[in-house]
Each structure stands twice: as structure tokens, then as C-alpha cells.
Amino acid sequence: MNSSHASLGMMFRVLMRMQLARLRRHWRPYVVVSAVMPAGIVLLLNLTNPAMPEPQRAQIVSGAMLLSQSIASIVMLSQYVAWLKVSRALDHYRVMPISLEVLVIALTTAYSFFAWPGIVLIAFEGRYLDQVPIHFSWLIVPLLLLAGVTMGSLGTIMGLLAPDEGLAGLFGNLVMMGILFLGMVPLNVMGPWAISLWILPSTGALDILRGLMFSQALHPLLRWWLAMGIYAIVGLGMSAYFIKRPS
Amino acid sequence: MSPIRLKFEHISKRFGSTWANSDITLQFEPGTIVGLLGPNGAGKTTLLRQLVGLSRPTSGHIAVNGRTVIAGRRWVKDFIAYLPQHPLALGDLTVEEAIRSSALLRGQTWSHAQIQAQSLLEMLDLSPIRRRQVSQLSGGEHRLVGIASVVVAPTPIIALDEPTNELDPLMRHRIWEVIANLRHPERIILLVSHNMLEAERVLDRVLIMHHGHIRHDSTPLSLRQEAGGFLKVTVCFSGASPELPRVKQELIRLHELHGGHFTWNGLTAQFTAPRGKALNLLALWLADTGLISSVEVNEPTLEDTYLALRQGWLADQSASEEGKLP
């Protein structure tokens, strides 16, 4: 009797479809929630300080974009993974003949997509409400995917280590707050606390995003692409290890 | 291709201070369907979880074709399909998608997965709900989708934990048929079930677990012969009579004398009685009472045998506990 297994491509397609199917019933929490808070912050700051200088407005807009990504990839994904673990539905993935690394890529990519409508909304908000000159580069697409995978890996690990969904959400919110501060508050204002925020995967993503959207300077950003690539590989490996680990 | 070989060698698992199973050594022959039976907490599910690598044995190892099962290894998942008791991660898909996706992830081509999914949808009466989301199904329907997702691409070893839980009688019947059809000379099927009456129809071998140990390991027939030695008697009384309480008392006395199972329900008594002379005498005595409408004597089922065995274990346990008292 022969046993066969799916190709990595087929595996990714099927697993992605399984994750995206979640939008059929739950699109509101996934798509709307990740958009509302960051877009609301941009609007709020615009209303409270209409005379804000352009570099500051640009910082807020790019920070809000990654905040939207972090809500989907860290807060929501950590809660979902914690639910999978607590309900033991994760066992289903653990016994299927699939690569757990591919599973984590599918999970993190799908949750990355959930934030995209919010990111587009914030870009429009920045361009037409805040009058920030945003340049679109196709490199933003792989950047958001890579940011989704790095943040999602962090969310996955938090979900796997948290004892329940509630605590996973709490940890996720704390990390999200870090990303919020890193994205919107100038580092010199944050004093010694700024150092701790450099361990977040959003740090490099934010720098690259600002480079691509506002200055279009690619060369100084190469080290960040490399750093994010390493972060993603380590994050994926650790997530797969924690899923694989037997009781 | 060499037939599949599965071995458990001195498997033990400890959770804190409790041993879920202890020093279990088993070998499984290809082409067999093996039932793991026993009370709640006997260690049956733990044994299946160890087989699929979800739980690491505290000591001992499990080998498939001579290779030790290690958690997360792809070859383990290629060889063993597992249906757990709890829900699968298929809740967001429709019924049809869930079955097809399981087939695709097990390496089937799109067209083959589609054909297999269609055939299972019809076989398990899932066609009317094929477009419903799995998370919106009832417990029984959810179970059927779980079974379909395991059998859609059968592996050389299949482990099923309570496959007929929450199913109606018709569906249970169909599931036992599906399991019987999975029998293959190069496949081993291990299943945990509390439904012994139904499981008996498909089982080639029965393992009875109690407190983490294998207490019996034989075929259903030889288990009944070894542990049985009794017959199941059902007596229906023709009507209420002043004599009936006396008859009941006498039957209870006989039951206490020989042990076994005894129930009294309205005008029907059901009990186990030892084979041979004692049973003949009992039949004669019952006939003398003149109160009998019918007497039925049957071979005990696997469930009756299990209940009788369990009673013996409990008696042994209380005897040894009494012996320990100062």
C-alpha cells in the first residue's frame, strides 16, 4: 500500500483556502476591526492638530498602516492559534501529512491579507486627508507580506505559549501597543524605552515602508530586508517547532 | 512491498503522579481491525495519541516497519491517519470542501479527490448538507465529516477514537460498514469504542484496558469463551402475581451465589448464569413457578463479557484493598 503526500504548492493552496474561508462568516471582525482603530487614530490626530508638520503626518500614516497589520497578525492570529490549541483542533494539523512550516506561512499570509483593506484605507486617508505625498511602489506588496509573516510568527508563538485565548489576546495587545508607540512616537521622545521596541518585527518594516513611500531610497534599506528575512525564517521555524512539540 | 508492521514496546506514559498507561507491549498484524475497549480513563485515547506522535511516551517506543514513531515526522503522518474525539480544524469550510481538502492534503489529485468526496457524501448521507459550513453542523454531522476526512484517503494505519459517538443508529450502522470496508490485507485499523455491541461485528481482535494496563488481548470469540463461561438469560413473566417477589428474591440469591450481571425491569429479568447443570436446574425451577411467559438463553455479547470482567476486577480490587487494612 503506497502512501503519498501533496506537493508544497498544493499544500499551500489548500491551507490558504482553509484560512481564507474564515472570512465567509467572520469578515467583520477580521477586516473591519483591523482597519477601524488605526484609521481612527489618523483621523483623530488630523482633527486635533490640523497644522501638524508633514514629516510627522507621514510618520503617523505609515505607523497606522503597520498598526493595522499588527492587529490582524499579532492580536487576532494569537487568539485564533490559542483557540486551536485549547480546543485541540490544532491536533488535526499536527497529524495531517503537511509541512508545519507551510501551515505557518499560510496562517500568517492569510492574516496579513486581512489587514490589507485597512492599510489601503489608511493610505487613502493619508493621501487625501493628511495631504501626505505617498508614492506607490510594487515593493510594498512583498514588504507587507514579509511584515505579515514576521508579525504573524510572533502572534503564532504567543498563541501557542499562552494558556488560553484571553491571555493570548492580552499579550497580543501589549505587543500591538509597542508597535503603536514605535510607529507614531518619535524615538527620541521615548527615551530608554525605545531600545526594547527594537526587538519588534515592525521596526525594520516601518523603516522600509517609510523609505518606499516617502523617500524612495532603496539602498540603505537592504539591511532591513535582510534582517526581516532572518526574523521570518527564525519565527517560522520556532512556530513550527512549538506546534510540532508533543505533550 | 512488505506488509505493514506495528509494534508497541514497553510503552508507559505518566502525567504528574498518574500513570495513563504502563509497560504496554503489543504487536499488530496487517489486515486486522483491533478494538481498544475499557472504562473512561483506562488510557485508550492516550495510547492512540502516542501512536500518532501527539503524546510522547515517558518510556518505551512505538515502531512502524521498524522505524520509531517521532512526533511531527512526515513519514509518520503519511502512514497513520487519526480521527480524534474533539473537533477538527475544518470548521470554516463547507462539508464538501472539508472532505476534498483532506484528500488533497493526503496527496490525491484534484479529480480523484473530487470523485472520492462525491462518493463519501452520498455514502454518508451528507449530500443534502454539502454546502453547509462544518462549524454549523450538529455533533453527529460533524462526526461524519471527520470520519469522511479520514477515510477519503486511507493510510496503512488508521486510528479512530470513538468513531460512532453522537451518531444515530442508522448512521452508526453505516459507519461500521465503512470501517469494515476499510479492511485491507496491508492495513491495520485501531479503534477506541464504548459501543461494544456494534464494534464486535467488525473486530478481529479485542484489547481490554483497565487502569493503564492491557487486561485482555484476544479475539471477541475467545474472549467470550475465556472470560465468559456463562450465558445470558432473559425471563419474561406472564403477569403480576403474589409469587413474583419470592421468585425475584430467589433469582437475586442465585445471582449473588454465582456472580455476574442482574437486572429486573417490570416483568422482565435479565441475568447471566453459569453454563451447564446449574443453568438447566434454574430453567426447571423457573418452569415450576408457572409464572413464565418466555425464556431466552443467548451467548453473551462482548459487552456482557466486558461487564462480567469488570465486575471481577472491581471485586479483586476491593479484596486487595481490604487485605491492606490493618
Side-chain angles (χ1 to χ4, degrees), chain A residues 1 3-6 11 14 18 21-22 24-25 88-89 91-98 244 246-247, chain B residues 1 13 49 53-54 56 71-72 74 77-78 86 89-90 92 97 104-107 133 135 184 186-187:
Chain A
M1 185 175 293
S3 52
S4 54
H5 48 248
M11 212 180 277
V14 175
M18 285 170 79
R22 202 155 306 126
R24 284 178 194 153
R25 279 186 70 212
R88 287 192 160 187
D91 286 352
H92 181 227
Y93 287 125
R94 293 165 77 193
V95 298
M96 286 298 275
I98 55 170
K244 213 177 287 184
S247 59
Chain B
M1 180 139 193
K13 178 72 184 178
R49 287 175 64 80
L54 288 174
R56 185 186 289 135
R74 280 281 293 280
K77 304 178 203 180
D78 284 336
H86 38 80
L90 298 168
D92 299 308
E97 285 170 340
L104 291 170
L105 289 175
R106 288 212 168 270
Q133 214 168 322
S135 60
H184 188 281
E186 289 176 18
R187 181 176 293 136

Side-chain angles (χ1 to χ4, degrees), chain B residues 253-278:
Chain B
R253 195 186 63 78
L254 285 167
H255 160 249
E256 282 168 356
L257 196 67
H258 295 291
H261 177 68
F262 181 88
T263 56
W264 184 282
N265 191 5
L267 292 173
T268 307
Q270 200 170 57
F271 52 92
T272 52
R275 288 171 194 270
K277 206 174 172 184

Side-chain angles (χ1 to χ4, degrees), chain A residues 45-58:
Chain A
L45 292 175
N46 178 278
L47 293 174
T48 52
N49 190 1
M52 199 186 290
E54 192 189 295
Q56 216 170 326
R57 276 183 276 140

